[in-house]
Amino acid sequence: MNPVQFTAETSSNGLRERDFTVGEIPGVLWSPASGSDRAPLVLLGHGGGMHKKAPAMTGRAQLLVTGCGFHVAAIDAPGHGSRPRTAHDEREIAAMQQAMAAGEPVGPIVVRYNAHLAERAVPEWRATLDALQELPEIGADGRVGYFGLNMGTAIGVPLTAVEPRIAAAAFGLHWPDALAEYARRITVPVEYALQWDDEHIPRESGLALFDAFASKEKTLHANAGAHKELPRFEADSAVRFFARHLGRAVTSAA
């Protein structure tokens, strides 16, 4: 197993940020700046075209760390952030750009490409979790959650389906095509976000994916608005969701 190798560290606004690598996988671990006490870990998956330190990612990490004292980890998905693209990545990105320029649906391309990325990313996430649990502030017996929207859901659903260490997951904003079979294997608590007027993902598609989860406790958050108009307060809701299911109190207003 490749260990965590920390490469940089900064602290501000109550947040300690440590860049790391696990083998060739680049990641970041956010923790409370006050210390490295034992606490649950939330894995944070980024969206398509984004990276581990995109503003949405750092914002969610801030809420989770300062709101509940969690440790939060993110890695760059294959072909994203500081990671090189393969020829396959380049072809799929070009196909998406061409479809958007022509006003054609991009959903089938996104679903296909994200499924390919998930095949590559799920083993990387599991290796990263193995390495992070070797850290004393996380530990092998610590509780783990997963939070990811869009491509973060495309990777997180198959990851959660095969990873028994994940005890709760927050997903949203994806098609069911490549994910429904995985969702039927998920029984941990799930919070799912859906945009009622999503111009890319038909309402019935989002509902179908939510319906597929086998979890006895699952909650659907449907908000009016287009695909990119998910209200920011849904991130606050995710903090409370993880606090309930990972055994932490919300210590400050999110």
Side-chain angles (χ1 to χ4, degrees), residues 196-214:
W196 205 244
D197 309 298
D198 197 313
E199 69 276 25
H200 299 300
I201 304 169
R203 188 179 303 165
E204 58 271 19
S205 293
L207 293 172
L209 180 54
F210 174 76
D211 189 52
F213 290 108

Side-chain angles (χ1 to χ4, degrees), residues 176-194:
D177 308 55
L179 299 182
E181 285 302 317
Y182 290 109
R184 294 185 183 101
R185 297 162 56 185
I186 292 174
T187 58
V188 299
V190 167
E191 184 167 285
Y192 192 87
L194 177 152

Side-chain angles (χ1 to χ4, degrees), residues 60 63-64 68 70 147 169-170 190-193 219-221 223 230-245 250 254:
R60 291 167 192 159
L63 292 174
L64 289 160
C68 292
F70 290 128
F147 184 12
V190 167
E191 184 167 285
Y192 192 87
T219 305
L220 175 68
H221 287 200
N223 290 282
L230 183 71
R232 292 189 176 184
F233 59 69
E234 287 296 350
D236 300 333
S237 177
V239 172
R240 296 190 295 271
F241 169 80
F242 287 116
R244 289 195 304 275
H245 295 293
V250 178

Side-chain angles (χ1 to χ4, degrees), residues 40-65:
L41 171 68
V42 177
L43 309 177
L44 206 56
H46 64 76
M50 299 292 108
H51 57 86
K52 62 184 180 294
K53 289 188 181 181
M57 299 288 284
T58 56
R60 291 167 192 159
Q62 179 86 38
L63 292 174
L64 289 160
V65 173

Side-chain angles (χ1 to χ4, degrees), residues 143-183:
R143 306 206 79 191
V144 180
Y146 180 91
F147 184 12
L149 306 175
N150 298 295
M151 190 183 78
T153 288
I155 292 171
V157 169
L159 172 64
T160 303
V162 300
E163 182 46 76
R165 290 172 289 185
I166 295 177
F171 302 123
L173 306 176
H174 210 276
W175 297 260
D177 308 55
L179 299 182
E181 285 302 317
Y182 290 109

